[in-house]
């Protein structure tokens, strides 16, 4: 939505493009520069980082709850994504139980 893709018009524009890609066995994708795909990946990563880390930092009053997100991100780079999610669930459960009984 940050790129102005809300509404029905982008959906109508992307459907014929997707059909054209499908009909040509996705050979048309080879004409799109790899820099375009790379820039979209970088843009998505930056937007997720800003919304997860920066935006949530000012919305959450308890910093222990906020600390779970960077911990998951760092742990996913070190060990693996599934293990990081399990760690996040465990820590979030402990934070919830501690807040519930305090």
């Amino acid at each position: 939505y940050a790129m102005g893709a809300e509404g029905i018009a982008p959906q109508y524009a992307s459907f014929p493009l997707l059909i054209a890609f499908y009909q040509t066995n996705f050979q048309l994708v080879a004409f799109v520069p790899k820099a375009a795909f790379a820039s979209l990946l970088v843009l998505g990563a930056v937007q997720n980082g800003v919304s997860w880390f920066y935006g949530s930092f000012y919305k959450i009053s308890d910093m222990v709850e906020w600390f779970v997100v960077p911990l998951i991100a760092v742990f996913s780079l070190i060990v693996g994504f599934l293990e990081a999610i399990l760690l996040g669930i465990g820590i979030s459960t402990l934070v919830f139980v501690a807040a519930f009984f305090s």
Side-chain angles (χ1 to χ4, degrees):
Y1 293 108
M3 297 183 338
E6 67 267 356
I8 198 95
Q11 295 175 17
Y12 284 141
S14 65
F15 185 71
L17 189 61
L18 183 62
I19 294 297
F21 285 158
Y22 184 73
Q23 293 294 328
T24 61
N25 265 345
F26 291 92
Q27 292 176 354
L28 290 175
V29 177
F31 294 110
V32 179
K34 291 181 180 157
F37 288 125
S39 65
L40 286 175
L41 284 173
V42 170
L43 177 67
V46 168
Q47 285 180 346
N48 279 339
V50 167
S51 65
W52 286 2
F53 297 122
Y54 183 73
S56 65
F57 183 77
Y58 294 106
K59 291 180 183 177
I60 294 179
S61 60
D62 187 13
M63 286 300 120
V64 176
E65 292 179 15
W66 177 83
F67 187 69
V68 174
V69 174
L71 188 66
I72 290 173
V74 169
F75 200 68
S76 69
L77 294 174
I78 296 171
V79 177
F81 189 70
L82 184 60
E83 292 85 359
I85 296 299
L86 292 175
L87 176 75
I89 290 171
I91 292 175
S92 295
T93 303
L94 290 175
V95 167
F96 172 75
V97 168
F100 185 75
F101 286 111
S102 64

